[in-house]
Amino acid sequence: MTDTLEYAQPLTLLSEDEVIFRDSVRDFADAQVRPLVREMDEHAKFSKTLLGQLFDLGVMGIEVPDQFGGAGGRFFHSVLAVEELSRVDPSVAVLVDVQNTLVVNAVMRWGNDDVKQRYLPKLASNTVGAYALSEAGAGSDAFALTTRAREDGDGYVIDGRKLWITNGNEADIFIVFATINPEAGYRGITAFMVDRGMAGFTVGKKEDKLGIRASSTCELILEDCRVPKANVLGEVGKGYKTAIETLNEGRIGIGAQMIGLAKGALEHTVAYTKERKQFGKPIADFQAVQHQIARAAVDLEAAKLTVYNAARLRDAGKPFLQEAAICKVFSSEVAERVSSLAVNLFGGNGFVKEYPVEKLFRDSKIGQIYEGTSNLQLQTIAKQLLG
């Protein structure tokens, strides 16, 4: 043992650049996003002005290298951005989340030099991306997809339909998963870069959702959609690997969304309970209320640690499969509990749209469903533990 002990950095201790980045996103969320939250939710439509501002802020290509016009940041920066935006509006956060943890992440990791040169500058500067894996019969069983790609000359022709595609309305670049050989099962799956303007590609029905309503969730229709071979992302027949490994990282992003949502709900609750009076004093003076708020803070801190841990492991190049599943399961449960408590402690006001907590409660539910349901995450965790 030496006289001087070296301690690992605490998970929640941010570096100087992380603090500056977090604060810039927080200030933006309060100043630019907060005034638009209710209107975007009511109309279920993302503000075009806000979309442009997100690109200007530099949060749409966080890990994209400088040479491609991106911020040259780390995965953890994406987590911080999603967390801070979710504190104000999880709908805005999920657009940024999908852009970074799924689309940019996949292109960075699996794209060849040509794909990176063509797509990363767009994604970093002015173009929204979407990740198209799910189908009517391929949700939790993601590899049961039926979208088919057949080789034809110097390209592929894709036919099929995708459902539940986040950013469907706003995106102009889509990562579409299709099988080139149904008999090969998951080994036939291939990922393709599909541009909105390609013949045979259409964005279909937009879902009318319970929560995160400003975030578009759409059907994609591909009918004889011709995609050049140069637009294959990764290796032919290895799309399953792209999907699995990208979604593992995406789940950390959803964890960040959920802790940000819970943080926002808790902040509203603390402020309101100091103002709302019953029996002649603020309800924050009642021990029962204090204990509920304290318990929510405990849950939130624990959830935050699981998310930060998974993100730090990813940036360190260490295994994080189990940690990603844990953070998604737990943070989504915490978000639902904390936002539900917020509604309760707001009383009747918590049930009306004039106050922000009913929206956060609605938004929280999706955390246990998309990018792998809680049951699927528990199965992953159990498999890691039991072999």
Side-chain angles (χ1 to χ4, degrees), residues 94-241:
V94 76
L95 181 138
V96 172
D97 177 38
V98 168
Q99 179 87 352
N100 286 283
T101 70
L102 295 184
V103 180
V104 166
N105 184 14
V107 174
M108 287 276 294
R109 184 165 182 182
W110 304 101
N112 57 30
D113 289 342
D114 173 61
V115 167
K116 290 178 180 178
Q117 289 283 353
R118 285 189 289 129
Y119 286 102
L120 288 179
K122 295 178 182 178
L123 290 166
S125 62
N126 57 24
T127 307
V128 177
Y131 193 84
L133 178 61
S134 298
E135 297 179 10
S140 293
D141 184 7
F143 298 146
L145 55 83
T146 59
T147 297
R148 178 74 189 274
R150 55 182 173 84
E151 192 172 359
D152 185 39
D154 60 353
Y156 289 88
V157 176
I158 305 178
D159 288 282
R161 295 192 173 213
K162 296 291 181 179
L163 291 179
W164 315 109
I165 307 306
T166 302
N167 295 355
N169 260 3
E170 295 78 20
D172 286 315
I173 295 172
F174 300 80
I175 299 177
V176 175
F177 291 85
T179 180
I180 60 170
N181 182 7
E183 295 179 358
Y186 70 90
R187 295 185 183 276
I189 296 172
T190 303
F192 298 89
M193 303 298 299
V194 177
D195 299 329
R196 180 183 284 266
M198 289 179 171
F201 176 83
T202 308
V203 176
K205 175 188 175 186
K206 177 176 175 287
E207 302 294 341
D208 187 9
K209 306 193 302 288
L210 169 72
I212 57 168
R213 290 175 52 78
S215 166
S216 64
T217 303
C218 302
E219 174 189 36
L220 307 182
I221 303 166
L222 300 101
E223 296 176 328
D224 292 329
C225 179
R226 175 173 286 277
V227 179
K229 288 184 177 178
N231 279 31
V232 170
L233 180 63
E235 297 180 43
V236 173
K238 295 291 182 67
Y240 69 92
K241 190 174 178 65

Side-chain angles (χ1 to χ4, degrees), residues 82 88 90 107 133 151 186 225 228 246 265 268 279-280 290 294 322 325 334-336 343 355:
V82 172
V88 174
V107 174
L133 178 61
E151 192 172 359
Y186 70 90
C225 179
T246 305
H268 288 303
F279 305 102
Q290 293 172 358
Q322 180 174 316
V334 167
E336 185 177 21
V343 172
Y355 292 82

Side-chain angles (χ1 to χ4, degrees), residues 321-322 377-387:
L321 173 62
Q322 180 174 316
Q377 302 314 307
L378 292 171
Q379 186 175 340
T380 296
I381 296 164
K383 186 175 181 180
Q384 292 294 303
L385 294 173
L386 301 173

